Amino acid sequence: MYVSKWGNSLGIRIPVTVAKKVGFVEGTPVEIDVENNSIVIRRKSYSLQKLLSEIDTDNLHDEVETGEPAGREIW
């Protein structure tokens, strides 16, 4: 296995046998870190607590008007 040029970046293909062992399919979100001079690829995990902790005044949007009630909504 070799590192290849991929546009302005470098790429390594993950063999299907390895991908299956860790459950990676096309589109799996991952995080890439460097630990002890090694590249570590982990499945990216999301939690509501983590996502909410990243909300601040710079990325909090205003309320969105969606129109009049269409059913039995109580406003």
Side-chain angles (χ1 to χ4, degrees), residues 1-2 5-6 27 33-34 38-39 41-42 44 47 51-52 62 72 75:
M1 185 177 308
Y2 296 95
K5 182 120 172 96
W6 193 347
D33 293 309
V34 176
S38 296
I39 297 172
I41 303 171
R42 292 185 184 89
K44 190 168 187 167
S47 73
L51 293 172
L52 291 175
D62 295 328
R72 297 185 295 186
W75 298 100

Side-chain angles (χ1 to χ4, degrees), residues 19-71:
K20 284 182 178 180
K21 285 181 182 179
V22 295
F24 282 6
V25 295
E26 184 177 0
T28 301
V30 297
E31 295 177 336
I32 301 175
D33 293 309
V34 176
E35 295 178 5
N36 299 320
N37 205 31
S38 296
I39 297 172
V40 179
I41 303 171
R42 292 185 184 89
R43 180 184 312 273
K44 190 168 187 167
S45 62
Y46 299 96
S47 73
L48 181 58
Q49 182 176 1
K50 182 177 184 311
L51 293 172
L52 291 175
S53 72
E54 295 176 359
I55 296 174
D56 59 30
T57 56
D58 293 328
N59 63 18
L60 181 63
H61 61 80
D62 295 328
E63 292 181 13
V64 176
E65 180 58 47
T66 60
E68 296 295 317

